[in-house]
Every structure is written in structure tokens, then in C-alpha cells.
């Protein structure tokens, strides 16, 4: 059975570039072209809080594991760290020279990483006093479009067609080269050895990180050729936005090297910029189809 739209959040004016659940899955945080970040109740659709501070479009948002703070980034070259409950900016982090497209935090929210059109990844330790980056990673030859931050690694997808995995324990970097610009990266749920790379050839590549980094499967059917379309996975399901206005869903267990979508969901009237799965999708049967999508039509849809 495919998911159905449960709530449509319409607080933004203009394209919504990113939307994520908090760790409980009870709330949705979204950011868009209107420079706003909105916190909404996922069940009722009610707007709970608005966060104002960015001078340009908000490109990415990330929420700490305890849901006490969020990080945001935008076209103003800034990364902000917010107190979720008070909507106050706790830190303003500077270091990028161009638009910042993605941001991620570690489990306790003490580390923030951001990727920029300036080809760098900046890393900040929020426990330290300086507002300047703790480290700047400069291996990318083009813009950094997507980031994943695990307990020991930073995984960065770049427009130069590479996925770079930085092991922060031993300062090593592994580079996997694909044939198309990479605009989205996601660890396949608890399968730390599998990585999803959304590419601008309208494929999502499933990479075997424990082997030689090669693609073992490709998920196809959606359209990603011009925009930074974001995908997600929990190890069982792959979801993605699409330039044709649909939300696409695949079953990893389908097998094979080329995997066609199992569901194509209508709800948005423009480009679907991102889709994120509910954090309890694999542990709570009631949330198995739950996800949130953000569109250029200015809406955020909660599916279930």
C-alpha cells in the first residue's frame, strides 16, 4: 500500500528547499526561499514556531538528536545554530565564501558540518569559543551539495561527481568517483556499509562501502537533471523527490542492478526538492509509510 498525504503545511511563501523530522518524528522543521525556518506539528499541521535571521534563502536544516537545537544554512553564506524552544540564535558560524547548501550535526549536537558552493566542508566544534571553523576540508573540485555526519565520519557528495568519506579518527579520506554530479548522500539506515548517492543523471546509486565503493544497484524512474533533489533511505525503502513533481519510492529488497520505483505519489504541483523518511519508519508499523516532502510549490507534505 502506498503512502497518502496526511497534512499539507503551507506556512512558506516560495519554494521550500528542505524539510526534516525531528528525532521523535512528532515535528517537522522546514526552510525555504522566503528566508524562514518553520517548526510544525506533524500530526496536526499547526505551525509552532518561526525562526528569522537568514538574509537569503535557507538551503538546509538539521536537528540535534535531543531536539533541543537546530542548525541551518543559506545563501547568505552563514550557518546558524538555534535554540528550538526559544527561537533564539545561539551561534552564528562564518567561514564559507559562497552559498551554503547543506548542514549536518552529530548525535549530541556538539559538532556541525556544512557544505558550500565554494567547494569546501567546514567543521565547527560548538564546545569551543571561536566562531571560526575547527577544520576546513578542501578536496572537492566543485560545490558540496549534501552531507552526512556519523559518529566517526563525514560523507560529502559533490557536483564534481565524487562521494568523499572522511574518517575523523585517522584523518583519512576515501574518494568514490561516479559518472555524474552527486547532489544527495544518505546512509542506508543501519546498513553503514551501504551508501546512497543521488546523481544528476536521474539515478540513485547504491554504493558498497565495505567493498571497492562500486555501485551495486541503481534506482531509476524519477527525474534529477537540473536541481539538487534530495533522497533518503532507512535500509528497507528508498525515497526521493523529483523534477516532475512526484515523490518516488523504491523497495531495496526488489533486487537487481536496475530497480524501478514501486510507488509514485502525487501531491505537489511543482518540483519536489527533498523527501525524508520518518525516524521510526522501521520500528513502528504505524509509521512505516511516513515521510515528509518539500516542494517548489511552497508546500510541505506529511505522508503516512
Amino acid at each position: 500500500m502506498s503512502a497518502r498525504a496526511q497534512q499539507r503545511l503551507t506556512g512558506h511563501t516560495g519554494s521550500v528547499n528542505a524539510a526534516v523530522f525531528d528525532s521523535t518524528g512528532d515535528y517537522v522543521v522546514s526552510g525555504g526561499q522566503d528566508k524562514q525556518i518553520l517548526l510544525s506539528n506533524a500530526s496536526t499541521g499547526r505551525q509552532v514556531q518561526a525562526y528569522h535571521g537568514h538574509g537569503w534563502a535557507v538551503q538546509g536544516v538539521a536537528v540535534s538528536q535531543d531536539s533541543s537545537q537546530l542548525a541551518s544554512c543559506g545563501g547568505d553564506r552563514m550557518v546558524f545554530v538555534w535554540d528550538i524552544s526559544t527561537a533564539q540564535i545561539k551561534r552564528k558560524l562564518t567561514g564559507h565564501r559562497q552559498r551554503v547548501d547543506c548542514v549536518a550535526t552529530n548525535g549530541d549536537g556538539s559538532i556541525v558540518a556544512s557544505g558550500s558552493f565554494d567547494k569546501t566542508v567546514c567543521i565547527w566544534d560548538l564546545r569551543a569559543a571561536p566562531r571560526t571553523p575547527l577544520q576546513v576540508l578542501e578536496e572537492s573540485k566543485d560545490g558540496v551539495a549534501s552531507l552526512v555526519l556519523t559518529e566517526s565520519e563525514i560523507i560529502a557528495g559533490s557536483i564534481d561527481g565524487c562521494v568523499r568519506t572522511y574518517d575523523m579518527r585517522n584523518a583519512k579520506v576515501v574518494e568514490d568517483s561516479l559518472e555524474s554530479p552527486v547532489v544527495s548522500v544518505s546512509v542506508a539506515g543501519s546498513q553503514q556499509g551501504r551508501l546512497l548517492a543521488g546523481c544528476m543523471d536521474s539515478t540513485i546509486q547504491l554504493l558498497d562501502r565495505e567493498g571497492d565503493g562500486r555501485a551495486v544497484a541503481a534506482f531509476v524512474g524519477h527525474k534529477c537533471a537540473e536541481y539538487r533533489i534530495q533522497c533518503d533511505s532507512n535500509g528497507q525503502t528508498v525515497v526521493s523527490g523529483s523534477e516532475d513533481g512526484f515523490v518516488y519510492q523504491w523497495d531495496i529488497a526488489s533486487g537487481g542492478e536496475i530497480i524501478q520505483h514501486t510507488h509514485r505519489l502525487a501531491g505537489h504541483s511543482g518540483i519536489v526538492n527533498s523527501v525524508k523518511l520518518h525516524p521510526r519508519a522501521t520500528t513502528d508499523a504505524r509509521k512505516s509509510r511516513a515521510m515528509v516532502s518539500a516542494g517548489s510549490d511552497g508546500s510541505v507534505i506529511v505522508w503516512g
Side-chain angles (χ1 to χ4, degrees):
M1 184 183 297
S2 63
R4 295 185 178 183
Q6 303 295 317
Q7 291 292 339
R8 181 182 297 270
L9 315 180
T10 57
H12 286 282
T13 56
S15 178
V16 186
N17 296 322
V20 300
F21 288 106
D22 77 328
S23 61
T24 67
D26 295 333
Y27 296 92
V28 170
V29 176
S30 56
Q33 291 294 121
D34 60 3
K35 310 174 191 177
Q36 286 193 103
I37 301 163
L38 300 180
L39 175 70
S40 304
N41 186 296
S43 297
T44 66
R46 183 178 67 88
Q47 182 179 312
V48 178
Q49 188 64 275
Y51 306 81
H52 301 282
H54 280 284
W56 292 78
V58 178
Q59 297 293 107
V61 291
V63 184
S64 64
Q65 188 64 31
D66 65 0
S67 297
S68 67
Q69 71 179 29
L70 70 88
S72 62
C73 63
D76 52 9
R77 301 177 293 178
M78 298 290 294
V79 176
F80 291 168
V81 179
W82 307 77
D83 183 295
I84 285 187
S85 62
T86 66
Q88 297 299 306
I89 299 173
K90 297 170 65 177
R91 301 285 283 268
K92 293 183 179 181
L93 306 175
T94 60
H96 286 293
R97 301 181 302 278
Q98 296 188 51
R99 181 187 73 228
V100 188
D101 280 330
C102 50
V103 66
T105 67
N106 67 340
D108 64 6
S110 62
I111 303 294
V112 172
S114 56
S116 170
F117 194 67
D118 67 9
K119 309 177 186 179
T120 68
V121 174
C122 287
I123 305 166
W124 285 273
D125 185 345
L126 300 185
R127 296 164 296 190
R131 265 56 171 175
T132 54
L134 173 70
Q135 189 174 1
V136 180
L137 308 176
E138 300 178 304
E139 284 75 13
S140 179
K141 299 174 181 63
D142 209 326
V144 178
S146 184
L147 284 176
V148 172
L149 184 55
T150 70
E151 291 303 315
S152 59
E153 295 177 327
I154 295 175
I155 305 167
S158 173
I159 302 299
D160 67 9
C162 290
V163 175
R164 294 177 177 87
T165 301
Y166 299 88
D167 191 325
M168 307 311 291
R169 297 166 299 188
N170 54 29
K172 289 184 177 180
V173 57
V174 175
E175 186 174 291
D176 296 314
S177 181
L178 303 178
E179 296 181 356
S180 178
V182 179
V183 293
S184 181
V185 289
S186 174
V187 175
S190 60
Q191 301 178 25
Q192 295 290 323
R194 294 289 179 95
L195 177 73
L196 284 174
C199 301
M200 294 187 78
D201 60 358
S202 297
T203 68
I204 300 171
Q205 305 285 332
L206 181 62
L207 307 180
D208 181 7
R209 301 173 65 213
E210 295 180 342
D212 56 5
R214 68 183 182 89
V216 296
F219 302 91
V220 300
H222 69 304
K223 183 180 180 182
C224 176
E226 299 180 52
Y227 295 90
R228 194 172 59 92
I229 304 297
Q230 299 294 293
C231 63
D232 194 19
S233 175
N234 55 22
Q236 299 177 8
T237 302
V238 175
V239 293
S240 178
S242 179
E243 292 168 13
D244 62 7
F246 293 95
V247 172
Y248 283 79
Q249 188 172 347
W250 297 264
D251 183 358
I252 291 181
S254 297
E257 294 185 0
I258 304 296
I259 302 175
Q260 297 288 338
H261 61 275
T262 53
H263 299 291
R264 189 178 74 158
L265 308 176
H268 288 282
S269 59
I271 296 165
V272 182
N273 293 314
S274 76
V275 185
K276 292 294 181 181
L277 291 161
H278 193 281
R280 300 199 305 273
T282 59
T283 58
D284 186 343
R286 296 169 299 176
K287 301 296 182 182
S288 62
R289 297 189 300 274
M291 53 188 167
V292 61
S293 59
S296 66
D297 59 0
S299 70
V300 173
I301 298 178
V302 179
W303 305 81

